[in-house]
């Protein structure tokens, strides 16, 4: 009876090709793993050398220049100056701030938009923006008028400030980075002398 079994030489050749493919796969996986490890080491060393810092924005000062309430017509008029600083603490990279937009509010009512065009902050430097706000007459409801009166009695007038900017900077060969800076805080002033009560209002991580 004829036999259907293949010659030993044919089976060993096929096994040899299979083993060669397996070893090629092992070598390729090893090389890829080494490449990932080396890339990670390069990025880590680059981070330690360059020590990139996220740029941020913060309110550094303010002044309530004028506040006047019209009890008869139920209107409030204010004039306030707010100084917002954009800070870039990177020693080796410039930073670009884009879409700077902040909303100033009083007792839940938006009273002003503080905007700035795109600007650049040099290495390890900062740029200050003086926003001078002179509002149109702000209509007050009965509850809002009562809150204003309570603020005068407590010698404390408060405003809300919310908004932020996009910041972009390049960290050497690690490539460009982009981050959002957000502000959401209360600005307090003494009603008696209109001076600013310093408080933390910053996008910098604590």
């Amino acid at each position: 009876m004829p036999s259907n079994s293949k010659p030993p030489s044919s089976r060993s050749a096929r096994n040899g090709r299979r083993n060669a493919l397996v070893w090629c796969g092992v070598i390729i996986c090893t090389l890829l793993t080494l490449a990932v490890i080396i890339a990670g080491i390069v990025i880590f060393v680059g981070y330690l050398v360059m020590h990139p810092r996220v740029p941020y924005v913060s309110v550094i000062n303010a002044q309530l220049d004028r506040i006047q309430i019209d009890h008869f017509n139920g209107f409030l008029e204010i004039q306030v100056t707010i100084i917002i600083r954009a800070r870039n603490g990177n020693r080796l990279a410039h930073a670009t701030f884009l879409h700077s937009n902040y909303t100033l509010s009083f007792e839940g009512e938006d009273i002003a938009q503080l905007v700035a065009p795109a600007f650049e902050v040099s290495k390890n430097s900062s740029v200050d923006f003086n926003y001078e706000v002179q509002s149109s007459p702000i209509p007050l409801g009965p509850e809002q008028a009562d809150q204003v009166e309570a603020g005068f009695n407590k010698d404390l007038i408060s405003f809300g400030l919310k908004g932020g900017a996009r910041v972009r900077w390049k960290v050497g060969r690690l490539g460009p980075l982009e981050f959002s800076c957000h502000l959401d805080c209360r600005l307090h002033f003494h009603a008696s002398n209109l001076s600013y009560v310093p408080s933390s209002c910053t996008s910098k991580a604590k």
Side-chain angles (χ1 to χ4, degrees):
M1 176 179 286
S3 174
N4 291 329
S5 60
K6 295 184 179 179
S9 59
S10 174
R11 284 200 301 270
S12 12
R14 188 169 58 196
N15 289 337
R17 286 195 299 270
R18 184 180 301 154
N19 290 336
L21 289 174
V22 170
W23 276 107
C24 284
V26 170
I27 292 171
I28 291 172
C29 289
T30 302
L31 291 175
L32 288 175
T33 302
L34 289 174
V36 170
I37 292 173
I38 292 171
I41 292 173
V42 169
I43 292 174
F44 180 70
V45 171
Y47 179 87
L48 292 179
V49 172
M50 297 178 184
H51 195 55
R53 298 181 179 181
V54 177
Y56 62 92
V57 293
S58 57
V59 174
I60 62 167
N61 201 3
Q63 176 68 35
L64 184 57
D65 303 304
R66 184 173 67 91
I67 183 167
Q68 181 176 344
I69 185 169
D70 183 340
H71 295 278
F72 182 76
N73 294 308
F75 285 105
L76 179 73
E77 294 184 28
I78 66 161
Q79 184 174 337
V80 61
T81 301
I82 301 171
I83 303 176
I84 296 179
R85 172 171 293 172
R87 173 68 182 167
N88 173 26
N90 291 290
R91 295 179 292 106
L92 302 175
H94 296 266
T96 302
F97 287 77
L98 309 161
H99 312 300
S100 300
N101 194 320
Y102 309 92
T103 300
L104 184 68
S105 62
F106 181 76
E107 299 299 342
E109 296 290 334
D110 295 346
I111 58 176
Q113 291 291 125
L114 316 180
V115 297
F119 61 95
E120 187 173 275
V121 180
S122 301
K123 297 177 268 189
N124 200 26
S125 184
S126 61
V127 173
D128 294 347
F129 280 87
N130 285 34
Y131 293 98
E132 297 181 359
V133 177
Q134 185 166 357
S135 73
S136 301
I138 305 165
L140 297 177
E143 291 185 3
Q144 292 172 318
D146 290 342
Q147 289 172 341
V148 172
E149 287 296 334
F152 276 105
N153 294 332
K154 295 178 181 178
D155 193 27
L156 193 67
I157 302 295
S158 299
F159 296 86
L161 184 66
K162 184 181 292 188
R166 297 288 297 177
V167 59
R168 185 183 300 145
W169 75 106
K170 188 175 182 181
V171 184
R173 295 185 178 180
L174 301 182
L177 301 176
E178 192 164 319
F179 190 78
S180 291
C181 302
H182 292 290
L183 290 181
D184 187 0
C185 49
R186 304 285 295 174
L187 305 181
H188 305 288
F189 300 86
H190 290 298
S192 56
N193 59 12
L194 308 184
S195 63
Y196 176 58
V197 180
S199 59
S200 177
C201 182
T202 179
S203 68
K204 185 179 182 180
K206 301 294 189 294

